[in-house]
Amino acid sequence: MLGYIVRRLFQAVIVIILVTLGITLLLHVLPGGPARAILGPRVNAVQIAQFNHDNGLDQPIWVQYGTYLGQITGLGPVLGGHGWQGVNFGFSYRLNQSVGSILAQDVPKTMLLVGLSYAIAIIVAVPLGIYQAVRRNKIDDYALTGASFFFYSMPVFWLGILLIGVFSFTLHLLPAVGPQGDNVGDLFTQLPALILPVATLALITIASFSRYMRSSTLENMVQDYVRTARAKGASDSRVLFAHVLRNAMIPILTLIGLSIGYIFSGALITEALFNYPGMGLRFWNAGLQQDYPVILGIIVIAAFGTVMGNLLADIMYAVADPRVRYSR
Amino acid sequence: MTIGPVPQESALGIGPISVAPVDAPAEIQDIVPAYETRGVWRLALEVFLEHRLAVIGVGIVVFMVLFCFVGPLIYVTDQTTTNLNNQFFRPAVSGHILGSDQLGFDLMGRLMVGGQTSIEVGLAAALIATTFGVLYGAISGFAGGFIDTVMMRIVDAVLAVPGLFLLLFLAVALAPVTIWVLILVVAIVAWLIPARLVRAETLTLRTREYVQAVTMMGGRGSRIVLRHIVPNAIGTIVVNATFQVADAILLVAALSFLGLGISPPATNWGAMLSDGVEYYADGYWWLVYPAGIAIVITVVAFNFIGDGLRDALEVRLQKR
């Protein structure tokens, strides 16, 4: 197991290196380069040269890439003999702020939105999936399956708009805009504003999680161990909650692990719709303004979160299911 | 009816379907009933047709395709020139069945034209993503060793970037967005899943006896991949491709909402929906609902078809 984790961590490092390499190359082949995108169409050659020199873009691409890797790992100063000075994601072209401080601001806010939504989704979807499995092919199972198909097939932003329409425009119960503020504490003071974004994200997540839970429970209910439990006289509820539930939760553990990436990267559409100040909204704005250091920083963090989430999912899977052993 | 394990080769319609010998003893003919005349595709079709929702899904998709591609020939509207005198007609007023939008376009006609883009992008992106992903995954799994490691780390790397982020980044980088750019960026985001699925299948398929037989007879790698591995993974591939179409339609809608949709006067359902949303608060509900409902119905239909196909193709051996 330990050997497996070490090998996976090594793979994770390689994946992160590939991500940064790929994005750096893509940025390099952009027509006109960042200078033209940032300084506008009326810029002259001298200004472009100055911009490229200031941002180190006149260096060969492998030097630029090496510098960036040195910065984000904090190894650059160490190799230069200055000791470790923390990681450095560069400086935003547009916001007069270091990318590191932007990320430090946005990650907790995104964690609040996505974490809360996923927590609610799991709390609702697990019992819902079990209920559907128990009531399979009855009218309420069909109704719930229909509802989950409906939410699953809905463009997220439209679902958000419909919720805004009902709860903000018609009933005047909740604000149509997400909470605003510089840190998580500010967001917490505006709980009503948090409800609609969280509900939007939670609803679509429930739709997919409950379907996994339903099929996983169904799959387990026909296993031999269920027959054994019944044969020795366990009650229906004991079979369901003591035996089936624990096994049926295993795929959900994997789903949770895979969702960890989103806790870092945020929910682009939901954040854009509700103007929720998280990583997704930041990425959208940075994308439209071509603020490449910010784009790069967010992608590195998102990739890191995803890779770590996948690793965690695999480990949880092995811990929860003793039949799974990563020996190779 | 029950039959024994279906010979893999015959499942694919390549090579002759193995037939119980005509002069076999009676008891063997009992064990192997006359399935040879029916073929596995036929069986799959029967299971698929039993799946009522899947049949409804096919019905909806056929209807939507006819509506979008044949509809404009019958219900002729001008979808290129704006006319602000016709702004915001309510549905069923002045000959506009679904009303008109903020630029005076007839919404029924717009729904047809927008649907063409949505369906075309959905199908084309799913086709490109599936074709590339399948070949990539099959080659990676078949090659094994170092090549497999490198190819899969690349997949991991692209997968590590959340799909919408990559989509947004590519759309910004490749702007202005045309239908081809849309197809390309959606395909770039989507090919990873079939690549992973097919690689996993290939790892088990490459150890099968018939693959060893081909190798022994001097079959080249390309022949093994294209004629033996890919056809045997076809169930997984087709099911996934169906879900890809649904996802692609939603991705295009999301991209339109983020302001990176296709440039007017061309449109798609997602763009109609996100444009209409701006006027939703002013009470122009008919700008929003037709496009939204069209997206939901079509995506649901493709999901139904995918579920039916999964029942029909993937568990065919257990079911029959």
Side-chain angles (χ1 to χ4, degrees):
Chain A
M1 188 71 187
L2 191 67
Y4 172 79
I5 294 176
V6 169
R7 213 182 65 242
R8 281 295 305 266
L9 279 174
F10 179 67
Q11 285 183 359
V13 171
I14 291 184
V15 166
I16 301 282
I17 290 175
L18 279 177
V19 168
T20 51
L21 184 63
I23 299 287
T24 313
L25 286 175
L26 270 176
L27 291 179
H28 203 73
V29 298
L30 274 187
R36 199 167 283 279
I38 298 299
L39 301 175
R42 300 168 66 88
V43 65
N44 63 40
V46 178
Q47 288 166 309
I48 291 183
Q50 184 62 43
F51 180 90
N52 285 344
H53 183 73
D54 290 347
N55 290 288
L57 298 172
D58 52 350
Q59 310 255 8
I61 185 161
W62 54 271
V63 174
Q64 289 181 39
Y65 180 65
T67 311
Y68 188 73
L69 265 191
Q71 281 178 358
I72 62 169
T73 52
L75 288 177
V78 174
L79 295 178
H82 298 290
W84 203 72
Q85 297 166 344
V87 297
N88 174 9
F89 284 94
F91 206 80
S92 162
Y93 289 162
R94 301 271 189 187
L95 296 168
N96 196 27
Q97 205 178 353
S98 78
V99 177
S101 71
I102 294 175
L103 295 178
Q105 240 178 40
D106 288 351
V107 167
K109 291 188 265 185
T110 272
M111 281 181 167
L112 175 69
L113 172 70
V114 182
L116 204 57
S117 309
Y118 275 84
I120 293 173
I122 291 162
I123 292 169
V124 175
V126 168
L128 199 65
I130 297 173
Y131 178 78
Q132 280 186 269
V134 173
R135 304 276 303 167
R136 69 181 171 285
N137 298 340
K138 299 221 171 66
I139 184 81
D140 40 357
D141 175 35
Y142 279 130
L144 287 168
T145 302
S148 67
F149 261 114
F150 177 73
F151 284 118
Y152 184 78
S153 304
M154 216 171 185
V156 181
F157 67 93
W158 193 38
L159 177 62
I161 300 274
L162 289 183
L163 290 179
I164 291 175
V166 173
F167 292 100
S168 303
F169 296 159
T170 312
L171 298 174
H172 301 291
L173 280 177
L174 299 167
V177 180
Q180 307 295 317
D182 284 339
N183 58 53
V184 187
D186 294 347
L187 304 190
F188 256 122
T189 59
Q190 307 161 49
L191 276 181
L194 205 54
I195 293 177
L196 283 185
V198 168
T200 307
L201 205 49
L203 275 174
I204 44 164
T205 315
I206 290 170
S208 69
F209 275 22
S210 68
R211 279 190 67 70
Y212 277 104
M213 193 65 204
R214 178 181 179 275
S215 63
S216 160
T217 311
L218 277 179
E219 227 165 72
N220 275 287
M221 277 160 71
V222 297
Q223 296 292 321
D224 288 343
Y225 71 81
V226 171
R227 197 175 359 157
T228 311
R230 285 233 159 84
K232 70 177 193 193
S235 68
D236 276 358
S237 63
R238 182 168 168 78
V239 169
L240 192 62
F241 292 109
H243 296 267
V244 170
L245 176 64
R246 292 172 60 152
N247 287 291
M249 279 295 289
I250 292 172
I252 301 292
L253 281 184
T254 310
L255 277 183
I256 294 171
L258 297 180
S259 312
I260 286 176
Y262 293 102
I263 291 183
F264 284 92
S265 60
L268 224 170
I269 304 280
T270 313
E271 289 181 10
L273 175 65
F274 289 97
N275 200 30
Y276 185 97
M279 295 279 275
L281 184 64
R282 180 74 72 192
F283 186 83
W284 186 37
N285 288 329
L288 295 182
Q289 297 177 339
Q290 296 172 301
D291 193 346
Y292 294 114
V294 177
I295 294 178
L296 209 52
I298 292 178
I299 287 184
V300 169
I301 291 291
F304 180 78
T306 312
V307 169
M308 285 301 125
N310 290 358
L311 180 59
L312 197 65
D314 284 349
I315 294 173
M316 284 196 297
Y317 198 69
V319 171
D321 188 348
R323 287 168 299 184
V324 179
R325 281 289 170 259
Y326 301 111
S327 49
R328 194 165 54 92
Chain B
M1 65 177 261
T2 51
I3 54 171
V6 177
Q8 287 290 331
E9 283 285 3
S10 68
L12 312 157
I14 59 170
I17 289 169
S18 57
V19 178
V22 181
D23 56 350
E27 63 270 27
I28 292 184
Q29 285 183 348
D30 280 349
I31 298 167
V32 186
Y35 91 99
E36 64 271 15
T37 56
R38 311 203 329 150
V40 169
W41 282 114
R42 179 79 188 277
L43 281 175
L45 183 66
E46 278 176 17
V47 180
F48 183 78
L49 290 178
E50 278 170 24
H51 206 288
R52 222 179 310 156
L53 288 178
V55 178
I56 295 174
V58 172
I60 293 172
V61 169
V62 170
F63 171 79
M64 280 296 178
V65 168
L66 289 178
F67 174 77
C68 295
F69 290 90
V70 182
L73 304 177
I74 301 161
Y75 184 82
V76 182
T77 52
D78 181 0
Q79 293 295 337
T80 43
T81 44
T82 58
N83 183 353
L84 295 182
N85 290 328
N86 296 343
Q87 234 181 346
F88 297 127
F89 279 135
R90 288 187 155 269
V93 171
S94 336
H96 297 288
I97 297 178
L98 290 176
S100 65
D101 69 1
Q102 72 278 10
L103 296 173
F105 289 125
D106 176 87
L107 272 172
M108 180 87 151
R110 198 119 189 100
L111 204 57
M112 295 169 177
V113 176
Q116 289 181 4
T117 313
S118 281
I119 293 176
E120 278 167 7
V121 173
L123 290 176
L127 186 71
I128 294 173
T130 305
T131 310
F132 184 76
V134 163
L135 289 179
Y136 190 94
I139 291 171
S140 175
F142 180 70
F146 182 69
I147 296 175
D148 181 40
T149 308
V150 171
M151 286 176 86
M152 279 301 123
R153 285 302 84 74
I154 292 173
V155 170
D156 288 347
V158 188
L159 267 180
V161 182
L164 261 180
F165 286 47
L166 187 59
L167 201 66
L168 182 64
F169 176 75
L170 289 172
V172 168
L174 296 171
V177 179
T178 62
I179 186 166
W180 292 107
V181 172
L182 221 47
I183 292 171
L184 184 71
V185 294
V186 173
I188 290 177
V189 175
W191 67 274
L192 305 152
I193 302 299
R196 274 199 159 175
L197 289 173
V198 171
R199 173 186 174 261
E201 290 249 327
T202 305
L203 289 184
T204 62
L205 290 174
R206 60 184 262 209
T207 60
R208 295 278 170 86
E209 284 87 348
Y210 58 81
V211 173
Q212 291 168 4
V214 180
T215 319
M216 245 166 36
M217 285 185 278
R220 277 171 300 125
S222 60
R223 183 179 176 85
I224 295 173
V225 166
L226 292 177
R227 297 296 302 272
H228 298 272
I229 287 176
V230 171
N232 277 296
I234 201 82
T236 315
I237 295 168
V238 170
V239 171
N240 181 260
T242 318
F243 292 130
Q244 296 267 3
V245 180
D247 287 349
I249 293 174
L250 285 179
L251 277 181
V252 171
L255 211 50
S256 303
F257 171 72
L258 294 175
L260 292 159
I262 204 158
S263 341
T267 190
N268 66 73
W269 287 336
M272 290 176 69
L273 183 57
S274 55
D275 289 348
V277 156
E278 290 178 30
Y279 303 91
Y280 180 63
D282 302 327
Y284 300 116
W285 52 267
W286 62 92
L287 265 60
V288 174
Y289 286 99
I293 291 169
I295 292 178
V296 173
I297 288 181
T298 311
V299 173
V300 166
F302 276 106
N303 279 317
F304 281 168
I305 297 174
D307 274 5
L309 282 175
R310 181 155 52 195
D311 282 359
L313 294 174
E314 287 196 347
V315 295
R316 60 171 189 257
L317 299 181
Q318 288 104 308
K319 270 217 152 179
R320 302 257 146 170

